[in-house]
């Protein structure tokens, strides 16, 4: 089978012919239908992600496909079942083996492409806004990076939860995508003063930040007393440094959220969240935005689309 594989520490990933994998105890094997790309995949390529596997490994954190074999001790999901799995690695391949207890059966109306674009982006935003920030109807939510993979889902879920949503993204085209997802107000990160624009709208109660850097600083200064700032990631490449005395004066909370971490210490939180999100999908209340679908032999180009910020929503790779 073919896989986009890193052979040794420090090596660049390449499309490689590998033996068909055999599922181990507690695992299922999937015939991969689609793999969603994430910023973390780029960090894994350089060894900078907090959960980078030891080489050799195949890139691709989240995958959708059809169960075609069971490992020892596994009886479910049944062979032939379509599922999505957050495996942390292994998705950029024609087949892969993943933990059976992470497999989420798919609704009949969900395509493999939608499923591969679903778990991390929607799961991150739902846990952040609901479980961590406890966003309330009528509050004002500022979403930075609002046209990106997680940012766009935060706009969508924020509106579903009854918030007034301010979307911040770079350029008119990306802002248009955020507006289609339900944003009430738009801020162009290339040309607008984020702090001034938010202040003119009455300030913000919750900040959703997958960007970091200068945008975090501007949003921090625009947050209302008792505001909550969700630190999701650092796509800018700069990790913010927070002055604790400023938190004290304004009674602010800065809250970290790493979705994958919950699978290790409190998986029921993820399970409950995904059940809610799948229900919303089946009811037509949410729909993944996928701007690029590329075949496996263009996996490097797909990752470059993500790196160069040419995408909106998600980038998905399919085996064919």
């Amino acid at each position: 089978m073919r896989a986009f594989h890193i052979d040794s520490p420090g090596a660049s990933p390449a499309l490689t012919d590998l033996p068909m994998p055999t599922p181990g105890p507690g695992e299922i094997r999937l015939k991969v239908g689609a793999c969603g790309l994430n910023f973390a995949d780029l960090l894994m390529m350089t060894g900078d992600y907090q959960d980078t596997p030891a080489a050799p490994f195949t890139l691709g954190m989240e995958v959708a496909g059809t169960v075609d074999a069971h490992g020892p001790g596994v009886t479910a999901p049944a062979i032939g079942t379509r599922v999505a799995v957050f495996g942390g690695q292994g998705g950029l391949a024609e087949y892969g083996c993943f933990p059976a207890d992470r497999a989420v059966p798919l609704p009949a109306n969900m395509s493999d492409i939608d499923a591969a674009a679903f778990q991390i982006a929607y799961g991150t935003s739902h846990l952040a806004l609901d479980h961590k920030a406890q966003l309330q109807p009528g509050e004002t939510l500022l979403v930075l990076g609002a046209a990106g993979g997680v940012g766009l889902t935060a706009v969508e879920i924020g509106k579903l939860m009854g918030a007034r949503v301010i979307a911040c993204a770079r350029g008119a085209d990306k802002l248009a995508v955020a507006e289609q997802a339900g944003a009430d107000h738009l801020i162009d990160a290339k040309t607008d003063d984020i702090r001034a624009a938010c202040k003119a709208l009455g300030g913000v109660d919750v900040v959703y930040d997958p960007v970091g850097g200068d945008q975090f600083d501007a949003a921090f200064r625009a947050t209302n007393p008792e505001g909550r700032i969700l630190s999701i990631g650092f796509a800018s490449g700069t990790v913010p440094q927070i002055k604790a005395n400023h938190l004290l004066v304004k009674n602010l909370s800065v809250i970290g959220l790493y979705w994958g971490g919950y699978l290790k210490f409190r998986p029921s939180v993820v399970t409950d969240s995904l059940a809610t999100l799948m229900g919303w999908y089946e009811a037509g209340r949410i729909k993944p935005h996928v701007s690029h679908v590329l075949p496996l032999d263009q996996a490097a180009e797909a990752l470059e689309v993500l790196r160069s910020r040419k995408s909106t929503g998600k980038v998905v790779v399919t085996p064919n």
Side-chain angles (χ1 to χ4, degrees):
M1 70 163 195
R2 298 178 306 155
F4 198 61
H5 194 69
I6 294 177
D7 287 326
S8 59
S12 297
L15 194 62
T16 306
D17 287 323
L18 297 176
M20 179 73 78
T22 300
E27 291 186 334
I28 55 173
R29 186 174 67 199
L30 290 189
K31 185 180 190 318
V32 175
C35 177
L37 299 187
N38 293 275
F39 188 75
D41 290 307
L42 299 174
L43 297 178
M44 280 189 189
M45 290 169 62
T46 57
D48 293 324
Y49 188 58
Q50 62 263 26
D51 275 344
T52 300
F57 71 95
T58 295
L59 287 167
M61 299 178 70
E62 61 179 331
V63 64
T66 303
V67 178
D68 90 324
H70 289 156
V74 176
T75 58
I79 290 173
T81 304
R82 295 177 56 248
V83 299
V85 182
F86 171 75
Q89 61 171 300
L92 285 174
E94 293 176 321
Y95 290 83
C97 295
F98 306 97
D101 61 3
R102 291 191 182 181
V104 179
L106 301 182
N109 65 337
M110 180 179 273
S111 69
D112 284 346
I113 288 173
D114 276 2
F118 193 84
Q119 285 195 91
I120 293 177
Y122 279 109
T124 295
S125 293
H126 186 246
L127 280 194
L129 296 175
D130 183 59
H131 180 69
K132 300 289 277 187
Q134 298 181 25
L135 179 69
Q136 299 299 307
E139 288 191 311
T140 297
L141 168 66
L142 169 64
V143 180
L144 304 176
V150 293
L152 199 59
T153 63
V155 172
E156 202 173 356
I157 290 173
K159 284 302 293 181
L160 274 176
M161 294 178 67
R164 180 179 68 147
V165 178
I166 304 171
C168 180
R170 298 181 67 84
D173 291 345
K174 291 190 174 183
L175 287 171
V177 172
E179 187 173 33
Q180 290 170 4
D184 300 291
H185 303 281
L186 307 174
I187 296 175
D188 192 331
K190 289 199 298 187
T191 58
D192 295 338
D193 182 323
I194 296 172
R195 176 178 178 268
C198 289
K199 284 287 191 181
L201 292 167
V204 299
D205 302 304
V206 175
V207 177
Y208 183 98
D209 177 24
V211 178
D214 292 342
Q215 292 191 34
F216 175 95
D217 295 338
F220 188 100
R221 297 172 67 197
T223 304
N224 293 328
E226 291 198 322
R228 291 88 74 202
I229 303 171
L230 291 156
S231 184
I232 306 297
F234 315 106
S236 68
T238 301
V239 178
Q241 302 302 301
I242 301 163
K243 294 182 178 180
N245 60 320
H246 292 185
L247 295 176
L248 182 152
V249 170
K250 292 180 70 175
N251 286 288
L252 300 181
S253 299
V254 177
I255 307 169
L257 187 282
Y258 168 41
W259 182 81
Y262 274 92
L263 292 168
K264 299 177 181 178
F265 70 88
R266 200 176 167 191
S268 62
V269 172
V270 173
T271 302
D272 292 345
S273 172
L274 285 175
T276 296
L277 290 165
M278 287 294 185
W280 285 352
Y281 181 95
E282 286 190 273
R285 302 182 71 189
I286 55 176
K287 169 71 174 175
H289 176 89
V290 178
S291 65
H292 294 75
V293 179
L294 286 87
L296 184 59
D297 59 7
Q298 294 180 34
E301 291 90 334
L303 285 159
E304 184 56 34
V305 167
L306 191 64
R307 185 199 311 277
S308 61
R309 295 177 171 81
K310 294 178 181 177
S311 60
T312 54
K314 294 285 283 189
V315 177
V316 171
V317 172
T318 61
N320 300 318

